[in-house]
Amino acid sequence: MSVDQFFKNIYHDLYYDVYKAVGGSLEDEAVNWPLYLSKLASTGIKIMVLLVILGVVYRLSLLLINSARFIAKDSKYSQSLRLIARLMWLFSSLLAVMSQLNFEPETVKATAKAGIWSVIFYMAWYNLGYLMQKMLKNYGLNASIEQLLHNLLSMLIIVLWIASVMSQFGFDIVSVVAGLGIAGIAVGFAAQATLANFIAGITILIEQSFQVGDWVSINDKEGKVVQIALRTTQILTRDNITVIFPNSTVASAEVINLTAKNLIRFDIEVRIALEADIKSARAIILDILANTKEVLERPAPTATVDKIGDFGVFFIVRFWVNPPHVSRMPFIKENLREQIKVALDDAGIATPYPHMQLLMPSAMPSEAAPSVKTSP
């Protein structure tokens, strides 16, 4: 085949493809282009007229919605009505175009039903957050659980919408669902760890043992919870390091929630010498605590003798703080130890340290004088 013949064949195919698209028949002996172009122009004019009419109807509906006195202009109801009018205008325009382009009546009817279902499901998805807020406002659920429910319901709406649209065009939804079920089982076996983390994440969100913003300790890692996702939980440590735990690990670990209550008690150890006055030392320690802004006055801090050891008297100093100060607790403890040490030194109260003291008499006993024996 020559190059000229190759391009002639391409031209011939394109020529008759366009001819068939405008309603011609290949059985005709000659192509009557003026006739079919006039038909195409007539169809285009009809489509334009229908689109203009639908556009006018859409604008009138918007004017009616905006002028309705019983509906606030910027309310959720007004926004929903305007959205419904816009979607109906789009689908009506699509049906008008299809009706003039010689689509099968069954196809047009299926498209109309699919459009109605699409409008219904889209409105449900659009107003899902508003409806959830109205229904769940009295249940006291945290933001993480609300977001989880929102995502699950959104997925359900999307799946039902796809199934409804497919069913209008003759798809067997039962077979599709069965196929998805088999595929889901296969994916489940292949992603057991991910599913375990997903289920653990749902459990964490439902139990609410800790929430975003709490200060927790997980596997000796302490920090502020910054995110509880469906697969992982993230905490931010005092060193500004993000630690990411799989939810299955969190669900099986010992989790200490330091900010679950309004007050948290901490303690430090202070030592004084054995011969020092306990009452004076206690008064100095309590005075330092009273002048520390992070330490609460109620419940009152305490300084009690924990034990008496080989090298001194051991105080256990207990004090209470509010949850916002937990992140600064190492600095608060270090500052208290330093102030207490300086105050005890200024008061002449010694801080003991391990030492050995040798006690020796002031004078050694003199040797006994030799006895003298005299003869008779």
Side-chain angles (χ1 to χ4, degrees):
M1 180 185 295
S2 64
V3 176
D4 294 340
Q5 186 63 32
F6 175 75
F7 283 105
K8 286 180 179 180
N9 290 338
I10 293 178
Y11 172 77
H12 180 271
D13 292 339
L14 291 175
Y15 185 86
Y16 280 98
D17 287 341
V18 174
Y19 175 63
K20 287 181 64 178
V22 297
S25 174
L26 295 181
E27 297 178 355
D28 297 338
E29 296 182 357
V31 178
N32 191 351
W33 280 107
L35 175 62
Y36 288 107
L37 289 177
S38 64
K39 290 183 178 180
L40 182 61
S42 174
T43 302
I45 293 173
K46 292 178 183 179
I47 292 174
M48 292 299 297
V49 172
L50 290 175
L51 292 179
V52 170
I53 293 174
L54 292 175
V56 172
V57 173
Y58 169 64
R59 290 296 180 182
L60 290 176
S61 63
L62 290 182
L63 289 175
L64 291 175
I65 294 172
N66 293 331
S67 62
R69 296 182 179 180
F70 57 90
I71 301 177
K73 187 174 182 180
D74 296 328
S75 65
K76 193 70 175 180
Y77 298 106
S78 177
Q79 295 175 5
S80 299
L81 290 175
R82 286 196 293 268
L83 181 58
I84 291 174
R86 186 178 301 113
L87 293 175
M88 295 302 295
W89 168 62
L90 291 174
F91 280 110
S92 299
S93 301
L94 177 61
L95 293 176
V97 173
M98 292 177 65
S99 65
Q100 298 301 317
L101 294 180
N102 297 324
F103 279 83
E104 294 292 335
E106 294 298 327
T107 303
V108 177
K109 186 184 298 184
T111 304
K113 293 181 179 180
I116 294 173
W117 280 114
S118 298
V119 171
I120 294 174
F121 281 108
Y122 184 80
M123 292 307 302
W125 176 82
Y126 179 77
N127 293 287
L128 180 61
Y130 176 76
L131 295 175
M132 286 184 58
Q133 183 180 2
K134 288 293 185 180
M135 291 187 295
L136 301 178
K137 64 179 181 180
N138 297 324
Y139 288 90
L141 300 179
N142 60 21
S144 300
I145 296 181
E146 290 185 3
Q147 185 63 41
L148 173 63
L149 291 176
H150 186 277
N151 293 339
L152 292 177
L153 291 176
S154 296
M155 289 293 296
L156 179 61
I157 290 174
I158 292 173
V159 170
L160 292 176
W161 168 68
I162 294 175
S164 300
V165 172
M166 291 177 65
S167 64
Q168 303 305 319
F169 292 96
F171 288 92
D172 188 359
I173 302 302
V174 177
S175 300
V176 174
V177 172
L180 291 176
I182 296 174
I185 294 174
V187 172
F189 279 110
Q192 295 183 23
T194 302
L195 289 177
N197 290 326
F198 177 80
I199 295 173
I202 294 177
T203 303
I204 292 171
L205 291 172
I206 293 176
E207 290 183 350
Q208 301 186 51
S209 301
F210 57 88
Q211 302 177 14
V212 174
D214 287 345
W215 195 273
V216 299
S217 175
I218 305 174
N219 289 346
D220 298 328
K221 298 292 185 179
E222 187 175 313
K224 181 181 180 181
V225 180
V226 293
Q227 184 179 15
I228 304 175
L230 291 179
R231 193 181 67 85
T232 60
T233 295
Q234 299 182 16
I235 66 172
L236 186 65
T237 67
R238 292 187 177 92
D239 299 324
N240 202 34
I241 298 174
T242 300
V243 182
I244 303 174
F245 294 97
N247 284 332
S248 57
T249 301
V250 177
S252 59
E254 179 181 303
V255 180
I256 301 175
N257 190 343
L258 300 176
T259 54
K261 304 299 181 181
N262 294 328
L263 304 175
I264 309 101
R265 193 186 72 178
F266 293 92
D267 58 72
I268 59 175
E269 187 180 75
V270 176
R271 294 188 300 170
I272 62 173
L274 287 169
E275 63 273 12
D277 183 58
I278 292 177
K279 293 182 179 180
S280 299
R282 179 184 290 113
I284 292 172
I285 294 172
L286 294 179
D287 183 64
I288 295 297
L289 293 172
N291 293 321
T292 303
K293 63 180 181 179
E294 293 87 358
V295 177
L296 298 176
E297 297 181 0
R298 293 288 182 272
T302 60
T304 57
V305 175
D306 183 36
K307 61 181 179 179
I308 298 177
D310 295 335
F311 303 106
V313 179
F314 293 77
F315 277 95
I316 184 73
V317 181
R318 298 183 176 92
F319 56 94
W320 298 79
V321 299
N322 288 324
H325 298 306
V326 173
S327 60
R328 300 179 60 251
M329 188 47 56
F331 172 77
I332 295 173
K333 288 184 176 182
E334 294 161 2
N335 188 43
L336 285 174
R337 292 189 184 101
E338 179 180 348
Q339 293 187 46
I340 291 173
K341 176 65 170 64
V342 172
L344 291 176
D345 290 344
D346 293 342
I349 299 176
T351 301
Y353 53 89
H355 63 279
M356 180 180 292
Q357 184 176 5
L358 298 178
L359 300 178
M360 300 182 64
S362 59
M364 295 294 293
S366 60
E367 296 182 357
S371 60
V372 179
K373 184 177 180 181
T374 58
S375 59

